[in-house]
Amino acid sequence: MPETLISALDELEKIYAAAKRDRTFQMQLEYYLREYAGRPTPLYPARNLSRRLGKARIYLKREDLLHTGAHKINNTLGQILLTLRMGKKRVIAETGAGQHGVATATVAALFGLKCDVYMGAEDVERQALNVFRMKLLGARVIPVTSGSQTLKDAINEAMRDWVTNVKTTHYIIGSVVGPHPFPMIVRDFQSVIGKEAKKQVKFIEDRLPDYLVACVGGGSNAMGLFHPFLNDKKVKMIGVEAAGKGLSSGEHSATLGKGKVGILHGSKSNILEDAFGQVKIAYSISAGLDYPGTGPEHTYFKDIGRASYVSVTDKEALEGFKLLSQTEGIIPALESSHAVAYLKKLAPKVKKNSIIVVCISGRGDKDVEIAQRELGL
């Protein structure tokens, strides 16, 4: 990372370590997660979907029911409280699908802080609803026109801003990516997903699930679900990446499946790069998954064999989008639709009455125009 940011990262690490030990901070975070965001979220038995796919009992962890419509609020509430502890008056964020931008703008409005959100120009076009929501919440949305004009480039610009304004500004990174301590902080704040799911499935089924399934771009919702089950060796973890137009097409975001280890945005993880070490442009129909890297802890989980990573195409994700909508009356985000789509491959192969917990990381309101165009409905 640039030398200018090292002191800020050191400060953040110390502030976070103190906050973890501070019962008042933990109680404050629990209060806002419960009373403002709407936790705990349900673990819903998807009986129609289970019958359709056969064999497995499928449960949906309903992060889509949170305030702002996605899991991102878990992390932004935690990080805004850290911002207040540091005495900073401005926050910045990057966003792809817009959900992290909306969640950041939301908590900035709640606590009266200035907020700027960097968003790739292409994503500004395809996520117009979330752009309006951010502006309505009082944030300034800054389109990024460099590179692929998507998430990677939004992070680049946010980093440049942070270097310039580090004394007054905190950068609320939205996924388990970037330099330490961000992957750890975001993982910890998102682990509420897995902690709740673990208690809920034990209460309902009197045992742990056999499989956990979640979509992976940067990977915060997946890591949030997976991490509390890390030492439960019998629980299989499956991350679902975006295969885009097909792995052989070169237009995909399957960094764990097709990438190799490299450095991106201050962390060492699997990334998509060419023969000269240059970062490739990632692609997905889902604006939240087209990132050419992934969280370093996901790469670690893959390397030690604790989790497996698969991918589904745009076409399959759209089928998943339609499948959950028509079986359960739940319209998932296109990101989450990748996880739903993989169930069509997984469910027929498992033992009868296997329990599968799927993270529905966000709702699909933001994606209906894309889906309508692609599905022709």
Side-chain angles (χ1 to χ4, degrees):
M1 294 301 293
E3 189 177 339
T4 318
L5 291 179
I6 299 303
S7 61
L9 292 167
D10 288 343
E11 177 194 24
L12 179 59
E13 185 175 14
K14 289 174 186 174
I15 289 284
Y16 180 60
K20 282 180 76 172
R21 296 190 300 268
D22 184 349
R23 183 58 188 152
T24 301
F25 176 87
Q26 296 301 328
M27 288 175 66
Q28 192 178 20
L29 177 57
E30 288 168 11
Y31 169 81
Y32 282 107
L33 286 172
R34 182 180 67 249
E35 303 296 337
Y36 189 72
R39 302 212 72 90
T41 59
L43 185 69
Y44 172 71
R47 295 187 180 93
N48 297 333
L49 182 64
S50 299
R51 280 194 292 269
R52 174 75 68 89
L53 298 180
K55 287 191 177 181
R57 296 205 295 277
I58 299 168
Y59 287 86
L60 310 178
K61 185 56 175 162
R62 296 289 310 277
E63 297 300 291
D64 58 310
L65 293 179
L66 286 172
H67 179 46
T68 72
H71 70 292
K72 296 294 187 180
I73 193 79
N74 301 324
N75 170 51
T76 59
L77 278 170
Q79 287 207 52
I80 202 78
L81 293 177
L82 293 178
T83 305
L84 296 174
R85 284 176 79 97
M86 290 185 283
K88 296 184 177 182
K89 304 296 184 185
R90 174 178 177 256
V91 292
I92 57 173
E94 87 296 330
T95 196
Q99 287 301 135
H100 175 59
V102 168
T104 303
T106 296
V107 297
L110 177 63
F111 289 100
L113 273 62
K114 285 185 64 178
C115 177
D116 288 338
V117 179
Y118 289 90
M119 190 173 192
E122 183 177 322
D123 293 336
V124 169
E125 290 294 322
R126 58 180 173 172
Q127 298 292 339
L129 174 62
N130 276 343
V131 172
F132 173 72
R133 293 170 75 195
M134 285 183 271
K135 290 179 178 178
L136 184 62
L137 289 160
R140 183 170 61 143
V141 180
I142 304 169
V144 176
T145 56
S146 59
S148 62
Q149 303 184 25
T150 55
L151 184 58
K152 171 181 71 73
D153 310 288
I155 293 177
N156 289 342
E157 290 303 316
M159 288 284 187
R160 291 187 184 105
D161 183 316
W162 198 27
V163 167
T164 308
N165 302 290
V166 68
K167 289 185 178 178
T168 60
T169 299
H170 175 56
Y171 177 16
I172 300 182
I173 286 183
S175 195
V176 286
V177 299
H180 179 73
F182 281 111
M184 175 180 70
I185 288 174
V186 179
R187 176 201 72 197
D188 289 351
F189 287 146
Q190 290 296 358
S191 287
V192 66
I193 300 171
K195 289 173 184 174
E196 284 182 6
K198 198 172 190 176
K199 288 181 183 177
Q200 290 165 325
V201 75
K202 277 184 174 179
F203 178 78
I204 298 167
E205 294 281 358
D206 198 31
R207 70 180 182 91
L208 293 177
D210 299 288
Y211 298 89
L212 305 174
V213 181
C215 65
V216 176
S220 63
N221 89 96
M223 189 53 67
L225 178 62
F226 293 174
H227 199 266
F229 292 89
L230 176 60
N231 296 319
D232 301 301
K233 303 299 184 184
K234 292 184 179 179
V235 181
K236 298 179 178 65
M237 304 173 179
I238 303 172
V240 186
E241 298 188 289
K245 295 181 181 178
L247 296 181
S248 59
S249 71
E251 294 186 66
H252 61 78
S253 301
T255 55
L256 288 155
K258 300 294 284 186
K260 51 188 176 181
V261 174
I263 306 293
L264 178 62
H265 296 137
S267 67
K268 181 180 180 182
S269 64
N270 269 49
I271 64 174
L272 299 176
E273 60 182 12
D274 63 20
F276 302 100
Q278 298 299 306
V279 177
K280 290 182 178 178
I281 293 175
Y283 164 78
S284 171
I285 192 173
S286 164
L289 297 184
D290 60 355
Y291 180 60
T294 193
E297 200 163 4
H298 280 296
T299 295
Y300 173 66
F301 279 17
K302 178 176 183 280
D303 286 350
I304 66 172
R306 184 63 191 92
S308 58
Y309 295 88
V310 297
S311 59
V312 302
T313 64
D314 288 353
K315 184 178 178 182
E316 290 170 322
L318 285 163
E319 290 170 359
F321 184 86
K322 194 162 70 169
L323 175 66
L324 192 61
S325 300
Q326 295 182 356
T327 56
E328 297 292 347
I330 297 168
I331 303 173
L334 278 173
E335 289 82 6
S336 314
S337 299
H338 285 71
V340 175
Y342 183 69
L343 294 178
K344 294 176 71 174
K345 300 176 182 179
L346 176 64
K349 298 177 183 177
V350 302
K351 293 178 181 177
K352 190 169 178 60
N353 291 324
S354 291
I355 298 170
I356 303 174
V357 173
V358 188
C359 187
I360 305 301
S361 57
R363 66 177 184 237
D365 307 36
K366 67 185 180 58
D367 296 315
V368 290
E369 289 185 13
I370 296 170
Q372 183 181 30
R373 183 175 67 246
E374 296 293 328
L375 293 169
L377 297 176

